[in-house]
Structures are given as structure tokens and as C-alpha cells.
Amino acid sequence: MAVNLSGRNFLKLLDFTPDEIRYLIDLSAELKAKKKAGELHKYLEGKNIVLLFEKTSTRTRCSFEVAGHDLGMGVTYLDPKSSQMGKKESIEDTARVLGRMFDGIEYRGYAQEIVEELAEKSGVVVWNGLTTEFHPTQMIADMLTVREKFPEGIEGKKLVFMGDAQNNVANSLMVVCAKLGLNFVACGPKEQMPVAELVETCKAIAAETGGSVTLTESVEEGCKDADIIYTDIWVSMGEPYEIWGERIRLLSPYQVNAQVMSYAKPTAIFMHCLPSYHDTNTTTGAEVAEQFGLTELEVTDEVFEGPQSVVFDEAENRMHSIKAIMYATLKQPE
Ligand code: CP
Ligand code: NVA
């Protein structure tokens, strides 16, 4: 049966079948080709969307804005400082107001239940632009990138997430790998492993798709023969600065460096959702360097800038894939 996502919310990948996820990746590639060819695709002219950001962003915000404009839509950006959201008006009331004015709402912020509530109360399509638990739009971009780099097929590829394996990006990677039949490895200390319930859910999905889910504390074993080494920052948005000391202690052994890349296949790629602390050219990077004496954190500058790194292709693909997600969910049913 043809995939039809019209009117669907995009809150977490657990809500989507493998065919629906593959459809979004295919559509992302199609829209990317159109953009490169300079073919206009204002398929959603007359529609309006609003972007609610309770946390900062470069890629996600710009992707929603550019993709929205490319599709011919009006785009409004709101943050807590410039709106009533949060301080003077609850998320529930905000959702009910915005649902009267917009065709779609993007939310970036805290608990997953907030975005779920927005979807329930607003009555319009809602997209999750990152919560504490999940980052699903990132996954469509990432899987598009993996497919571009491994045109022979992504099923059976080994993707290793290094470091804070219980954050939103790691959780989402575990889900998408399980759904698409990749072999996912969470490689980190026991303190930062994904919660058992999600691991069990993903293992059950992987059993159906031919993928697998493995947790390991061993870097060499985890990264052996990997096709993809992926990492993310050690302290996520919303976590206090004070946690850096403890995270550095726990996660330093899991830094992605040349040694780690040497365990993987020679054809392996390095991925990172970004932003990244691979040098001290950021305020936090400089502060952490000053306080803890480390000038590179989750990945060394050598790997980040090296030939195996595909991080900027990945960043570009955020725009094409967010466009696909918005188009698929807002278009008229066929
Ligand atoms: N990867 C990602 O979500 O980047 P931003 O925080 O810049 O949106
Ligand atoms: N885990 C990171 C992802 C940023 C895109 C965070 O939540 O800050």
C-alpha cells in the first residue's frame, strides 16, 4: 500500500513503520535533487507554520525556515523571550491559540510529553524539533546521509554511538537503526546507557527487521569493523554546566579519536549531529578547556576535520529532510 502521511504528527520514530521512514528518506532525496536542479517546489503555498523554540538552535531553525519558504509557506519564529509561552501562558493554551492560526507547529524544548500535549491540544500537525528524549528529524537527515555514503544499501551496516548513549540523539539513533535493520551499538559507560525499557523495545523491533541492538563499555569491541562512528556533545541543552566535571570523567575514554577510527572499517564514516566541541573556538569549549584542561571533547579536531567526516553533508541534509517531513504531513491526501 502506498505510504500516506498527510495529517500525521512527527513526534518520535517509534510511531512510524520502516516503510514510512524509508518513504521520508526517499522524499528527502527527491526534494534535494529538485533544489540542486533549481526546480521550484512551492507545493504548500498558502499554508503557514510556527516554530516554537524553548532551546537554542542553528540547523533545526534554519532548516524549518528555509524549507518552509522553499515550499511556499509563511513561517513565524517564536521563543520564550519574545512570546507569552511558558511564563504567562501554558503550553496547552499556547497550542490552542496557535492551532487556530497555523497549519503546522514545530516544537523544540524539554519533555517529550510537552510535544505530545501540543499535538493533542492544537489540532494541527506538530513536528518534534528536539526534546530531552528524542530528536527524530535529525534521524531522517542522518539516514539520508548514510544512504548517500553507502549506496549499496544501509541494512546490516554497523553504527556505533560513542559517549552519552542515553541522550536524545542516541535514543533516536537506536530507534531508527532498529526500524531500518542496522546494527546499533551504544558504546559508553554504564552510567550513561539508554534506559532499559527503550532498549527492550528497540531489540524487539530489530528482531523483526534483521537489525540488532548492543550495549558495550568496551571501545575496541564496540567500534570493531564499524561502518559508522557517531558521537554527540557530552552535556546536552537543559543540563547544568556543573555536570561537565562528572561527564568528562565518565566520557573521556569514549572520545572519538584516530585510535577509535582505526578499530572501524577503513571505509567507515564519522558522523555528528552538531554543534560540536572539537576545539576551543566556542565560549563553552574555552571555559571547559580552562577549567578541566581538555581542548577537544567528544571528538578530536583531527577526526572532525578528517577525510572520514561527513558532518557538513549531514547538516545540509537537515534542510532537505525537514522539507520532506513537512511536505509529507501537510500535503493534501491523494
Ligand atoms: N543538530 C541540531 O539539531 O542542531 P541545532 O541545535 O543547531 O538545531
Ligand atoms: N544532545 C544534544 C543535541 C543537539 C542537537 C542536545 O540536546 O543538546
Side-chain angles (χ1 to χ4, degrees), residues 108 130 135 138 167-169 232-233 235-237 273-275:
R108 165 171 286 199
L130 179 146
H135 195 6
Q138 178 77 48
N167 78 14
N168 39 22
V169 170
D232 185 12
I233 50 174
V235 175
S236 286
M237 290 183 279
C273 56
L274 306 182

Side-chain angles (χ1 to χ4, degrees), residues 116-134:
E116 306 270 352
E117 185 182 359
L118 263 174
E120 194 188 311
K121 299 286 164 44
S122 66
V124 295
V125 170
V126 172
W127 307 289
N128 177 358
L130 179 146
T131 57
T132 304
E133 292 88 340
F134 293 113

